[in-house]
Every structure is written in structure tokens, then in C-alpha cells.
Amino acid sequence: MECWRKDIELSSVVVQCRSLVSVLEGCLGPCGKAVLLEKAGCVIITKDGMELLSHLEVCDPLVSIVVRGVLDHTRVLGDGCKATLFLLHRLLSSLDTHVPQNSGTMQGIRRQRLIQIVQQIRNHVLGVVQRDVIKYGAQVYPLNSFEVFSHLLHNSAEDFFITKFSKLIARNLARLFSTYISCVCSSSRELVKLIKDLAIKAHTAVVEIYHMPLMMSHVLHGFVVTRNFRYLHRGMKFNKVCCAWWSMNLEEEEEEGLPRATIETSLREILVGGILIKRNSVERSLAHLSSLGTELVFSSLHFPDWAVSLCAKYGISLLDSVDGDERDFLAERLGVLPIMEERDVHPGVLRSIDKIEPLNLGTCRFMQLSGLGVHQILLCGPTPAQCRQFSACFLQFFRYLSSWVADCVDFSQSSDIYTCDAAAAAGCRDSFSPPFSPDELPRCELSPVLTEAHSSAPTSPTTVAMFFTVPHGGYGELLAKYLVSENISVNIKNTIIKSVVLDVFNELPSLLYRKSQFSQKSYVEFQTKLFSNFTELRNNNQVMLSHMLKDNRFRGYHNPFLLFKLLNCVLHLAEYLLRIECIVPAKQRISQRTRHCSSDSESE
Amino acid sequence: MTAESVLSIQGKRSSGTPVRTENVIAASSVANIVKSSLGPVGLDKMIVDDVGDVTVTNDGATILKLLEVEHPAARVLVELAQLQDEEVGDGTTSVVIIAAELLKVADELVKQKIHPTSIIAGYKLACKEACRYIQNNLTMNTDELGRDCIVAAAKTSMSSKVISIDSDFFANMVVDAAMAVRTSDGKGGYKYPIKAVNILKAHGRSATESAIINGYALNCTVASHAMTKKITNAKIACLDFSLNKEKMKLGIQVLVNDPAKLEAIRQREADITKERIEKILKAGANVILTTGGIDDLCLKYFVEAGAMAVRRCKKSDLKRIAKATGATFLTTLCNLEGEESFEPTYLGEAAEVTQERVCDDELILIKGTSARTASSLILRGPNDFYCDEMERSLHDALCVVKRVLESSSIVCGGGSVEAALSVYLESFATSLSSREQLAIGAFAQSLLVIPNTLAVNAAKDATDLVPKLRAYHHSSQIKTEHSQLKYYGLDLIEGQVRDNKKAGVFEPTLSKLKQLKFATEAAITILRIDDMIKLEQEPSKESGYQQALKSGQLG
């Protein structure tokens, strides 16, 4: 009558994570290589961790929890799918090696020990290290200077895209992005709002165009409807077009089993009349529309040929089968009321569009509407699959930016920054020296809002003024490692916890360096040099720990909060996994034993 | 005692000691499954079903519900856990463990030739005495201790769950949520209908980014983009039918011989719904929530009227909204005369209904509901499983908070009550001269299973800790100057005995009382069984076709 159960060994979890890591390891970072994935005859070539992971079919329940957790988290943050998985694997394997398994103690005791370590890291180490990495390592820029902000975004866009595509493509995509923001926004406030909006509806910003080289992509003033005219009336003017939105049903809906009114007749006229009911009502509406001066009809429905010919009869151009998202956008922007039935046709449903023109690119024939006050990125791609990858990447990038900006705002408003001593605050100010030359951009002075921010109360809304970045290439991780190993930000007495934390911080830089053909030895040398440089700078009482070495320098702009967000998720997931003691199959039968009761003979 | 004998009907009968022993083994095997998840350092179970769906949980009732337990005696324990879950909401693991332990010691006594009825009588007496002792001596009034103790009770409930590390954060959240739904019961007291606390889950982000929202949050968006997204002084209609174009029902056939009439029929079909909507709008409704669909044609009427319409809401949500706003949840517009009408009294009221972006999702928030207050919790976690387990844990904690607030009485946790009861019952047993003495002694002994299991799960030395704890309680019961020692319980992190009143480890009194009563009753139910007849279905060896072929019915 024992219940069947399978205890979960930590080492087997590590092995399973290892196999996932080995799949993704190749495509980490700018030097990573793409992976070709074949699934049911369909080939996917990608470097994107999220796409790869979501296509892998994982059977093991524990690993599938890991995969789903990582994917869900990345979907919100927009980046860091592979990094999360690597960090989780490193954390678990480091815990497995550092906490020895005694044959004498119970499995549960070891688990408790591990859970405590994870909790301690999450509660006592993470927050402090994040604050100090930003205090010592982050460059701070005023968020309210639009030039600086957009320059930063351009660079980080390039760095972001380079981890997904080749260098040339990345440069193009980044250029597109910065053109787009410079077209749409003129101030930082607008830009922040734009980034927040884009994170949920990226489709308003990107239009995919197939069978064209990426070089041809550009930013367009206007809104693109990804349909061609179904019927274009000869001599229609393209300026000040008077249009209406058609939503009246054209197809007879045939539903199985539902009875309907039937005409039973043998008279020819009635029969013909019955067939033409729908047509007549459509014709009446169109005639009415035409008399009101309508030149163009939009519809998200498909117009059958007879309806098209009716449009032709009344000289109304037609644009049908419009995509749902585009319909929603237009309905909101134009405030147009759809025509649902015959009595809806009145002058109130008509709207005027400034200009409408056909847009012929590659094999795509689209319509471009002007005067709606929007810009769109026309994203070209040689094949539909590639084009979709580009636009998916844009969506991820918007998410990434949105969470970055939100974190910066949160951090500036939180009291954390004020608990840093005055020197740190000064450090923030000192650190503000743009790494690009002054000729490139007008020199940005500290705005009054920013200087005010240091003195005023933390709750005032005007403190939203700072943007924090760290360079790429594992600088944040290495700095965090340094801060922990030298006991600067937090003094971890427990050697096991300390070595686990150091292992985890070491994971990403070491992988990145292995990618760029550094040997293990040179990596260690580099690290020692960097750390001694840090120490030197600290001895000279410089608060800001520079990211420059003589011959080697970290470049780029990266979200400093991302690492800690990922670690937070990793620690949550790890704790969750460690708490699982055993696998019990559901619906197993705990039934009567089949043993025969033979013991009664003794009692008798 | 006879052995099994074959009855004339197909089946087996067994009676006497073997049956009892077998039942006891079945019960303890069920208890063994959940044993290791008890206490602040218990671990979780991952339950995988045959299609690969995964549930990871620490909750005794959930684990047992997902296992298909077939043995009749074991089923009693599973139902016991469900009962405790419904009645109290917390303590499901403990109740199963206590019941199994009671059975185990009873089985020992029966083997020593003590009749089960004596044991049953002793158990009943012991349970009654234990409950009396808890109520008289061990309870504390929450009014004296204030809000802190309620938070502490919620924290105790969460301590064994996945959110234990953030229990400070969640405990305050839970208490706020429970306080927000306080309603008067009309007799001067208050009720806390925790069902009014709506729990929404959204994955991504970390658990500490969960939020509490005043008002009812609905995980839907308005049906059309053209609708207004904010309405103040909302009049809410809750409907349980679709506002689609009416179609003729099955079995009706209409024969016409004029196409114009056919068109008229269609027009009429559309107008029926339009008239309904007009009736609703005329009554003053500006927010319409429905469980069914609203088609595009009908949406237009709402857009024109400037009203907000939300389709495909969950029925359970709408029922709660109806309760909170004072609306009537309508399944049809027909009145008693068979005509369709919509009275303004059917409408509920709220100060504001808005569609807002909370976390990364668009939600509809109903704020300032008129009839009752409502609150919503939005939980964040790395994945769905985590969110599910968080929801279960928060539900338990909400139940605990509700019980504490309603009864305003708590006891100390951490094995303190069980240790005190076992000391007390042992001395009570020696004061009796009847044969129940042994059974009460056994009852006292079996209560120690809770502190023992707690200590074992925490990898502490149970043989060292539990006697120490008992010694404290003994001295508190015989020396009046030591009476404060009665709040002592186990500290499972440090492996010591400490004052759990100071440490803030509390459980609702009701939970402990129900645990004892339910466990005793379940144990008695199983103990009374001494005969088992199991009928076996006659296996039909051949199919109907073959039988028919044999008997010659088929040519």
C-alpha cells in the first residue's frame, strides 16, 4: 500500500539544465552563432533564445517548469532569456558542488540548507549589490535631455540587435529605430510615453514588407494599410478623400442545423426577388453612400465579386479585408462609426482623409494614409520568415526599453539613491560626462530638474530625471563580483554563500570571453588586472570605478537593472525547484492490498 | 474471530483484527504522503498526471485530492482533509496526520485485547476534555494583541508555503484585503466574506511585485476600441445572456411567399436584440457586463449611447460584482407577465469604472462599489505553477485571517497546543478509574505526533526537543508562577524551545478545535469497522455478439 514516488536529486536537475544550456550556449552574445532548428520540415535559423526555447519540446516535468518560467519572465522583460537559463544552471550546479551531500544526513536537511542559502542571497545580497553597482559603475544621464537620450537609445538598439543578427543588419535596424524616434518625438517626455505604449502595441510602429532587401527599409510619415485597392474607381482624387467604414454582413451565414425562413413558391418573379434580397439592400446602401459623396469604402470583411461590381457601379473605390489591428487603430484615430445596417448610412458616418496613395514596394501593394499624425517603420526583409524575425525583435526591444525606463524611474524615486552617501551623489554628478565627443552632440548641462532631484524630497514627481546605464561585455557582472569578493558592499561571512554568489556573477563574463576566443588563462589575467585597477581607483578616492583599462575598454550602454531582475527571477525559480521534494503521479491507486489474510490461523 | 469465507455471492468477506489492521495501514500510508510537507520547513510535492500536467503544492488537501485513493478507509482521511479545507481552510495536513496517529495507537490497544468501544469512548472523552482545556486555558484574545497578531497568524499560515520568505509583505497584504471586505452581520459583529477578495494571476516579474487594489478587478477589456474607458457614477447591469442577433430556435420553420417578408423576418431578428438593449439603456445603465457575447451590430448601440460594454466575463466574477454593487444578476429580461422589461432597480452602482493598465495587462477596475466593499489581489510570479501555488497559499492565509477576525481568539502554534494537551490529558487520564484511562493516555500520546513531525521535517532531534517542550508545559500546569510557560513551542530554524507568543506564531483557535474534533471523528469511524465485504463484479468473458452467436440467435 505504499505510494509510488520518485525523489528528485539536485544533481539530476543540474544535468538536465546543462543539456538545455548546451543547446543555447553557442548563440550567446555578439559573437554567438545562429542555430538551425528543424521542426516538421520547417527550418528556423535564429540566435534568439526565446524562439529556440519555445520550439524545443521538453518532456521532463521539472525542466518544462524551468523553460516555461524563463519564457514567461522574458516575455515581460524583453531580453535575457539565455542569460536567465545560464545563471539558473550555474546557481544550481554551484549549490550542488558547494554543499556536500553526506550519506548520513537526510535529503530534506540538505534541501533546507540550500533553500536558506538562496533566500539569503535574494534578501541580503541582491539589493545591496544592485545599489552599489549603480553607485560605482553606472553612468548617469539626464532623462530630460532629448539628444542624449536618443543617442543612448540608438547605441543600445545597435547593441541589442547585434546579439540577434549580424553587424550590418543590426546597424540598419538601429538606424531605423533612431530615425523613427526622431520623427515621432521631440522631447524626452514624449519618448518615455512612446516607449511605454510600444511595449504593448508594437504593431502600430512596424509594417512588414516582404521580398525586399533590408536596406530599403525606411520610416514613413503616415499610416499603412496592408491591402491594395480591391476596386479603384477611375478618376478618383487622392486628396481629401471622403470615406466610410463598412461592416454590414455580405455573405450569407450558413449554420448547420439552424432552421430559417424559407420561401416556398413557383413564381419566377418572387424567386428572383428572393435571391436578390441581400444584393438589393447592399445596393441601396451603396447608392445612398454615393449620393452623400463617398469616394472610398473601407471594410474588414471580404467583399464577394458581386458586391465589388456594385461598388464599381456607384463609382466608389473599395479597400476590403483590412487587418483587425489596423481596423482598431483606424477606428480609434478616425473616430469612424461602422455601417452595420441600412439605416446607419447618414452624413455622420463619413470621415475625410487628407491624402491616400498607393505604396508599391517589392511584391507588396499597400495603401498609405496621411494626415493621421503617425509614423511607421517600413521593415523590409528578403523572406517573410526573416521579416517576421526582424519585427519580433523590434517588439522585444520595445519591451526591453520599457522595462529599462520603468526601472530607472522607480530607482530614482526610491529612497535607495538617497541612502547612498553624499559622495555617491556627487559621483552621480561627476560621472555625467558624455563618452562621445562634444562635436557630435551639443554639450548637455545638468538641467535644473536633475540638480533639484538630489536635494528635494524623494517623493516629488520631478525626480524622474535620470537614466542609468552600464557598458556591455559583462562589466556589471564583473563589478558585482569585485564588490562581493572585496567585501565592499556586503560582507558575507559564510564562505559557501560567498562562493556561490561569485560563481553566479562569474558565469556570464566567462562565457562571453570564451566566445571571443580568450583562453581561460587570459581571462583570469584580464580579471585580475581589472580588479587591481578598481582597487587603485578606490584608493585614489574615486567613487566612480571606471570602465576603462589601458588597452581594453568596455563599450556600449546596457540596462544595469536587467542583471538583477534576471537574478531575482533565477533565485525565485531555484527556490521553487529546491522545494520540490518528490514527484508523485496523480491518479495513482492506493487500493487494498492483494495480500491474502492468512494470519488468522495464529489467533485461533 | 473467523477468517475470510467465500460467500455465495461473488465477493470476499473478512472480519476481525485483519480488517482493522489493514485500515490502519491504509490510513498511515495516506498520512505518510503528506507528512513531509508539514511545518515551516516542509517541502513541496510535484504531482504529474498521465498527460503531463504538473501541480506543485504543499497543501495537504490539494495533494490528496489529486491522488486517486481507492481504499475505503483511506478515502475517509481524504474526505477529512477536504472537510477541514472547507470548514477552516487551513490545517489540512495536521488533521490527516493526527487521525492516522490516533488509529495507529488504537490498533496497538486493540492488539492488547482492549475492546474498540472502550477506545472509542475514551477518545470521545479525551477530545471533549481537550477542547474544553484549549478554550479555557490556551486561547488569547486578539483584541488585546491588536493587528500585529493577525498579521502574525497570516504569516504562520504562510510559513510552510512557497511564499514564506516574503511572508511579511504578503501577510500585510492579506490582512488589508480581508479588512477591506468587512461587512456587518446585523448583530453588532462583522463578517469577512473572503470570497469577495478577487485573486488575479499574471506571470512574469517577481513575487514581491504583487499588488493589492481597492475595488473589483476584472480581467477583461471593453468590447470595442471606440468605447469610453472611464465612467464615473456608473450604473452597472450584470447579464447572463448574449446580446447577439436573435436567431430562430430549432424546430421552427416559417414558409413565406414574398421576399419582402423574408427580409422583414431578418429585420425583426435584429430588432429584438436592439429593443432589449434600448430597454437596458433606458433604465439608465452605462456599464453592461455580460457573460455571453455581444456582436458588432449590437456593440454599435452601446458606442452610440456612450456606454461601456464588456463581454465574456466569468460568471463567478459577475455574481460577486452583482453582490458588491447591489445589482441583480439577470439570466433573462422576461418578467412574470412574460414580457421583457428592465427595471432601474436591477442596476448596481459604483463610483467609478475604468479600464486601467495594471502591471502589464489592461484590467477593468470597479471602484467605490455601493453595497459592499471589494478588494483584489494581483499576484506576480515567474510562471503559472508558481502563481497557482501562491494563490492556494494566499487562500489559506485569507481563511486564517477571516477565522481570527471573526472569532477574535488565537492559540500559539509550533506544537505548543499539542504538547500542552498531551501533558494535561495524561494527568487527566490518571484521575479516571475506568477503562477509558488507557485510551485517553493513548490519545495524549498520539497528539505528540505534531511536534515530532515538525522537528523531524526540520532535521532537528525530536527525541531531545519534544521532551524538553513537555517539561516546560508540565511545569506551567502545576506551578502557577510558571503559567506563562504554556505558550512555549518549537523554534524549528534554531532547533530550540521558545516562547511562541513573543515570536508571533499564532493559529486560529477554531482551526485547532476543528482539527481535534474532525480527526477524532474520522478515527472513530474507521475504528468501528470490523467487517468488510467486498463484492466483485462478475467478469463477462465474452462479448454480447459471441454469446448470441453461441446460443444460436444469429443464423
Side-chain angles (χ1 to χ4, degrees):
Chain A
M1 225 169 304
E2 269 302 297
C3 176
W4 186 86
R5 49 186 267 175
K6 185 178 136 201
D7 284 315
I8 295 173
E9 294 282 329
L10 180 57
S11 47
S12 72
V13 181
V14 173
V15 169
Q16 278 161 336
C17 283
R18 173 77 223 159
S19 60
L20 273 184
V21 166
S22 66
V23 173
L24 296 175
E25 211 171 36
C27 36
L28 179 77
C31 304
K33 300 281 179 288
V35 170
L36 189 146
L37 192 83
E38 200 221 316
K39 194 180 182 185
C42 173
V43 174
I44 302 157
I45 302 172
T46 183
K47 275 168 85 176
D48 185 32
M50 217 165 127
E51 204 176 344
L52 273 173
L53 266 193
S54 52
H55 280 105
L56 290 179
E57 272 172 26
V58 184
C59 295
D60 186 85
L62 215 60
V63 182
S64 78
I65 286 188
V66 172
V67 170
R68 279 182 56 181
V70 170
L71 284 177
D72 287 343
H73 196 250
T74 318
R75 224 159 268 149
V76 177
L77 285 183
D79 192 25
C81 184
K82 278 165 284 186
T84 315
L85 204 62
F86 297 160
L87 290 173
L88 181 66
H89 166 247
R90 179 55 58 201
L91 177 69
L92 290 179
S93 72
S94 165
L95 284 174
D96 196 30
T97 44
H98 285 297
V99 180
Q101 188 167 18
N102 299 5
S103 51
T105 54
M106 279 163 59
Q107 178 75 14
I109 306 168
R110 183 166 175 247
R111 283 298 179 85
Q112 284 309 334
R113 179 94 189 81
L114 299 177
I115 292 173
Q116 280 168 19
I117 293 177
V118 170
Q119 289 178 343
Q120 275 172 18
I121 296 177
R122 184 149 67 88
N123 276 14
H124 303 304
V125 180
L126 214 55
V128 195
V129 175
Q130 168 172 342
R131 194 198 62 207
D132 283 2
V133 163
I134 287 163
K135 175 173 152 190
Y136 289 116
Q139 294 146 297
V140 187
Y141 300 99
L143 203 58
N144 47 8
S145 157
F146 180 63
E147 290 84 359
V148 177
F149 192 23
S150 51
H151 178 87
L152 285 177
L153 289 189
H154 174 81
N155 281 350
S156 51
E158 194 168 332
D159 294 334
F160 180 87
F161 291 127
I162 223 166
T163 60
K164 312 276 174 196
F165 306 108
S166 74
K167 215 172 229 174
L168 189 71
I169 295 178
R171 197 167 297 152
N172 271 314
L173 291 176
R175 190 177 46 78
L176 270 178
F177 173 74
S178 51
T179 324
Y180 177 69
I181 54 175
S182 64
C183 286
V184 178
C185 306
S186 56
S187 76
S188 292
R189 190 175 298 275
E190 278 173 35
L191 187 51
V192 170
K193 190 177 169 296
L194 175 81
I195 289 171
K196 274 186 185 163
D197 284 347
L198 286 180
I200 37 176
K201 30 188 182 184
H203 56 83
T204 53
V206 178
V207 182
E208 295 170 17
I209 293 187
Y210 306 145
H211 307 301
M212 287 276 281
L214 180 66
M215 297 295 287
M216 301 295 286
S217 308
H218 59 275
V219 176
L220 183 99
H221 180 72
F223 184 78
V224 174
V225 178
T226 52
R227 290 283 156 205
N228 196 6
F229 280 121
R230 183 72 186 283
Y231 168 74
L232 176 62
H233 186 64
R234 189 188 296 261
M236 181 184 138
K237 291 197 304 292
F238 289 115
N239 289 330
K240 295 276 169 214
V241 182
C242 183
C243 64
W245 194 276
W246 184 277
S247 287
M248 202 193 291
N249 236 344
L250 293 163
E251 310 271 3
E252 284 296 319
E253 56 229 80
E254 287 286 344
E255 270 182 61
E256 284 296 315
L258 264 188
R260 36 198 292 225
T262 328
I263 301 179
E264 200 175 53
T265 180
S266 54
L267 285 174
R268 200 180 127 80
E269 302 84 70
I270 295 179
L271 210 59
V272 171
I275 292 166
L276 296 179
I277 290 178
K278 194 89 208 176
R279 188 188 173 281
N280 290 342
S281 96
V282 171
E283 183 166 1
R284 278 196 301 277
S285 308
L286 282 174
H288 196 177
L289 273 178
S290 163
S291 69
L292 289 172
T294 314
E295 290 164 283
L296 175 66
V297 165
F298 286 104
S299 178
S300 53
L301 303 167
H302 173 73
F303 269 58
D305 287 343
W306 58 266
V308 178
S309 67
L310 280 181
C311 289
K313 184 174 165 189
Y314 288 99
I316 300 176
S317 303
L318 177 67
L319 202 60
D320 72 342
S321 312
V322 175
D323 187 61
D325 287 334
E326 289 166 7
R327 180 195 60 193
D328 289 345
F329 177 83
L330 281 177
E332 215 176 319
R333 266 304 152 102
L334 290 172
V336 63
L337 285 173
I339 298 166
M340 296 291 223
E341 46 190 344
E342 231 179 293
R343 46 195 148 165
D344 282 342
V345 182
H346 52 81
V349 297
L350 298 181
R351 289 286 179 279
S352 163
I353 292 178
D354 282 355
K355 194 177 179 195
I356 181 162
E357 54 192 326
L359 184 78
N360 298 338
L361 278 171
T363 51
C364 300
R365 302 277 176 277
F366 292 155
M367 298 317 307
Q368 177 191 348
L369 313 183
S370 309
L372 295 172
V374 281
H375 285 79
Q376 284 192 311
I377 302 176
L378 294 185
L379 195 59
C380 303
T383 64
Q386 258 181 315
C387 199
R388 249 170 259 136
Q389 272 186 0
F390 292 153
S391 75
C393 191
F394 259 106
L395 177 63
Q396 283 183 14
F397 180 61
F398 293 146
R399 294 250 168 84
Y400 166 76
L401 280 187
S402 148
S403 88
W404 188 354
V405 170
D407 285 339
C408 286
V409 170
D410 283 352
F411 189 80
S412 343
Q413 275 173 346
S414 76
S415 50
D416 271 14
I417 194 158
Y418 302 98
T419 55
C420 300
D421 47 356
C428 286
R429 223 171 280 144
D430 288 344
S431 66
F432 176 65
S433 52
F436 35 82
S437 68
D439 327 325
E440 272 180 83
L441 278 172
R443 173 99 188 164
C444 299
E445 291 301 317
L446 268 180
S447 68
V449 183
L450 185 65
T451 35
E452 197 183 322
H454 290 293
S455 52
S456 66
T459 47
S460 79
T462 49
T463 53
V464 192
M466 278 174 276
F467 195 67
F468 303 89
T469 76
V470 286
H472 276 290
Y475 171 75
E477 288 85 346
L478 283 172
L479 178 61
K481 192 181 168 190
Y482 171 74
L483 291 172
V484 172
S485 68
E486 299 289 314
N487 295 335
I488 293 168
S489 52
V490 58
N491 192 0
I492 307 174
K493 297 226 168 59
N494 188 326
T495 48
I496 294 177
I497 297 183
K498 191 165 175 178
S499 48
V500 170
V501 172
L502 291 179
D503 266 3
V504 170
F505 279 129
N506 192 37
E507 171 76 1
L508 287 179
S510 78
L511 273 176
L512 282 173
Y513 280 85
R514 204 184 311 155
K515 278 264 122 16
S516 45
Q517 272 92 38
F518 270 78
S519 66
Q520 186 63 29
K521 190 164 161 261
S522 70
Y523 169 59
V524 173
E525 273 171 11
F526 167 74
Q527 199 180 313
T528 335
K529 213 155 83 184
L530 184 76
F531 282 7
S532 62
N533 189 33
F534 281 155
T535 319
E536 208 174 290
L537 286 170
R538 266 179 57 77
N539 290 340
N540 295 342
N541 283 330
Q542 277 196 342
V543 179
M544 178 76 189
L545 296 186
S546 164
H547 45 84
M548 262 173 270
L549 272 175
K550 258 165 261 145
D551 48 348
N552 206 324
R553 159 179 180 181
F554 293 97
R555 284 187 189 81
Y557 308 96
H558 189 59
N559 182 357
F561 303 97
L562 186 68
L563 170 69
F564 298 96
K565 287 252 161 184
L566 296 182
L567 271 178
N568 200 353
C569 163
V570 163
L571 292 169
H572 265 108
L573 256 177
E575 190 190 334
Y576 183 68
L577 291 176
L578 287 172
R579 281 182 65 96
I580 300 173
E581 178 196 23
C582 60
I583 296 182
V584 181
K587 312 262 176 196
Q588 68 169 316
R589 294 178 191 275
I590 299 179
S591 57
Q592 212 164 350
R593 279 176 304 176
T594 47
R595 181 177 69 90
H596 285 283
C597 306
S598 55
S599 56
D600 292 298
S601 52
E602 298 156 21
S603 58
E604 273 178 359
Chain B
M1 290 192 211
T2 56
E4 70 186 68
S5 55
V6 178
L7 294 174
S8 53
I9 49 170
Q10 280 286 327
K12 269 184 199 157
R13 172 180 175 182
S14 52
S15 58
T17 323
V19 178
R20 202 167 287 120
T21 313
E22 193 181 302
N23 286 345
V24 169
I25 293 174
S28 21
S29 76
V30 167
N32 274 341
I33 299 171
V34 291
K35 214 171 200 170
S36 61
S37 56
L38 182 76
V41 274
L43 292 173
D44 291 2
K45 305 274 173 297
M46 177 187 233
I47 300 155
V48 187
D49 71 4
D50 29 5
V51 284
D53 269 354
V54 176
T55 316
V56 177
T57 183
N58 188 296
D59 184 37
T62 315
I63 298 174
L64 292 181
K65 201 175 4 181
L66 290 169
L67 298 173
E68 193 171 285
V69 179
E70 215 175 48
H71 192 282
R75 276 222 69 81
V76 173
L77 285 202
V78 175
E79 278 156 21
L80 173 69
Q82 247 95 0
L83 185 70
Q84 173 84 10
D85 196 32
E86 282 162 26
E87 289 277 318
V88 187
D90 191 36
T92 48
T93 315
S94 333
V95 74
V96 172
I97 293 176
I98 294 177
E101 190 67 19
L102 283 175
L103 281 172
K104 208 157 122 193
V105 287
D107 193 46
E108 294 296 313
L109 287 181
V110 172
K111 280 186 185 150
Q112 292 165 24
K113 307 288 180 199
I114 293 172
H115 198 271
T117 44
S118 312
I119 302 173
I120 291 170
Y123 274 9
K124 276 185 178 161
L125 188 61
C127 175
K128 210 166 128 195
E129 195 61 27
C131 292
R132 200 184 55 77
Y133 187 75
I134 293 180
Q135 270 166 337
N136 291 347
N137 295 4
L138 297 175
T139 57
M140 286 167 277
N141 197 335
T142 53
D143 296 340
E144 296 161 20
L145 298 168
R147 184 192 150 104
D148 286 349
C149 77
I150 302 167
V151 176
K155 261 160 90 173
T156 310
S157 156
M158 287 175 201
S159 64
S160 63
K161 308 289 199 268
V162 68
I163 49 177
S164 58
I165 184 80
D166 302 314
S167 59
D168 275 334
F169 173 77
F170 282 108
N172 279 307
M173 196 160 132
V174 163
V175 174
D176 286 341
M179 291 292 209
V181 294
R182 184 167 85 160
T183 49
S184 171
D185 63 354
K187 293 175 212 140
Y190 293 104
K191 279 200 301 184
Y192 297 87
I194 48 149
K195 277 190 178 167
V197 178
N198 188 21
I199 300 182
L200 296 176
K201 292 171 280 185
H203 48 60
R205 300 289 171 111
S206 70
T208 43
E209 282 171 74
S210 304
I212 179 167
I213 289 174
N214 270 327
Y216 203 93
L218 196 62
N219 200 0
C220 304
T221 52
V222 290
S224 158
H225 280 263
M227 280 179 184
T228 162
K229 301 225 164 79
K230 181 171 182 173
I231 286 183
T232 46
N233 292 328
K235 301 256 189 274
I236 302 171
C238 298
L239 312 175
D240 189 21
F241 49 86
S242 294
L243 291 171
N244 285 340
K245 200 172 108 176
E246 195 66 25
K247 294 226 175 73
M248 272 191 284
K249 298 291 180 291
L250 212 65
I252 302 171
Q253 199 181 12
V254 186
L255 292 180
V256 290
N257 46 18
D258 181 6
K261 279 186 186 152
L262 197 63
E263 187 58 11
I265 288 174
R266 288 211 185 123
Q267 192 60 48
R268 184 65 204 136
E269 282 178 348
D271 283 351
I272 290 175
T273 315
K274 189 183 174 187
E275 279 162 22
R276 277 185 193 161
I277 292 170
E278 273 167 359
K279 272 174 197 154
I280 295 170
L281 290 173
K282 204 175 264 174
N286 50 17
V287 176
I288 291 94
L289 310 174
T290 173
T291 53
I294 305 175
D295 62 18
D296 289 351
L297 180 66
C298 303
L299 273 182
K300 194 191 65 173
Y301 304 128
F302 291 117
V303 175
E304 281 169 357
M308 200 176 197
V310 183
R311 56 188 169 187
R312 312 258 175 241
C313 304
K314 266 195 245 153
K315 201 166 189 170
S316 53
D317 279 338
L318 274 199
K319 277 186 180 155
R320 288 192 227 160
I321 290 174
K323 231 176 219 170
T325 57
T328 317
F329 186 59
L330 291 177
T331 46
T332 170
L333 286 181
C334 290
N335 56 14
L336 287 174
E337 283 82 46
E339 287 164 10
E340 296 197 326
S341 65
F342 192 88
E343 306 288 331
T345 49
Y346 295 158
L347 293 173
E349 286 179 29
E352 192 182 52
V353 177
T354 51
Q355 175 171 328
E356 275 179 28
R357 191 173 164 200
V358 177
C359 304
D360 299 310
D361 245 342
E362 300 251 295
L363 299 176
I364 289 187
L365 299 182
I366 301 171
K367 293 177 189 163
T369 49
S370 61
R372 282 189 194 174
T373 48
S375 61
S376 302
L377 302 177
I378 296 181
L379 302 184
R380 310 301 307 267
N383 57 12
D384 282 343
F385 311 117
Y386 197 92
C387 288
D388 287 347
E389 178 63 2
M390 269 166 82
E391 187 190 359
R392 280 191 288 268
S393 316
L394 283 189
H395 175 259
D396 283 8
L398 274 171
C399 288
V400 165
V401 170
K402 170 192 159 98
R403 299 293 167 198
V404 171
L405 286 170
E406 280 177 4
S407 64
S408 66
S409 122
I410 46 174
V411 291
C412 280
S416 147
V417 170
E418 285 82 3
L421 282 180
S422 99
V423 172
Y424 170 73
L425 285 177
E426 264 171 18
S427 65
F428 172 72
T430 45
S431 71
L432 286 181
S433 58
S434 57
R435 70 181 78 169
E436 278 86 20
Q437 194 191 52
L438 279 173
I440 297 175
F443 191 97
Q445 194 60 41
S446 57
L447 283 181
L448 286 180
V449 72
I450 295 288
N452 271 329
T453 314
L454 284 175
V456 168
N457 280 351
K460 303 294 179 221
D461 192 354
T463 49
D464 180 37
L465 273 178
V466 178
K468 211 186 262 174
L469 183 65
R470 270 166 60 88
Y472 274 103
H473 282 283
H474 184 257
S475 88
S476 85
Q477 285 173 18
I478 55 166
K479 292 182 195 157
T480 41
E481 69 267 26
H482 285 172
S483 68
Q484 281 306 311
L485 291 180
K486 67 183 175 187
Y487 298 125
Y488 270 60
L490 298 178
D491 175 1
L492 296 164
I493 307 298
E494 302 295 329
Q496 293 163 347
V497 177
R498 65 164 174 195
D499 186 351
N500 270 349
K501 188 183 176 185
K502 265 188 209 147
V505 180
F506 297 124
E507 284 177 56
T509 313
L510 192 74
S511 163
K512 278 278 176 258
L513 292 179
K514 294 258 173 180
Q515 266 175 30
L516 282 181
K517 283 182 188 159
F518 289 155
T520 317
E521 274 165 24
I524 289 173
T525 315
I526 295 174
L527 270 183
R528 291 178 74 93
I529 303 169
D530 87 329
D531 202 341
M532 183 148 65
I533 302 172
K534 196 177 179 195
L535 294 180
E536 277 166 13
Q537 265 192 341
E538 197 181 334
S540 64
K541 293 185 182 74
E542 290 164 15
S543 67
Y545 173 75
Q546 278 168 325
Q547 274 175 359
L549 195 71
K550 242 180 212 170
S551 59
Q553 284 171 8
L554 296 173

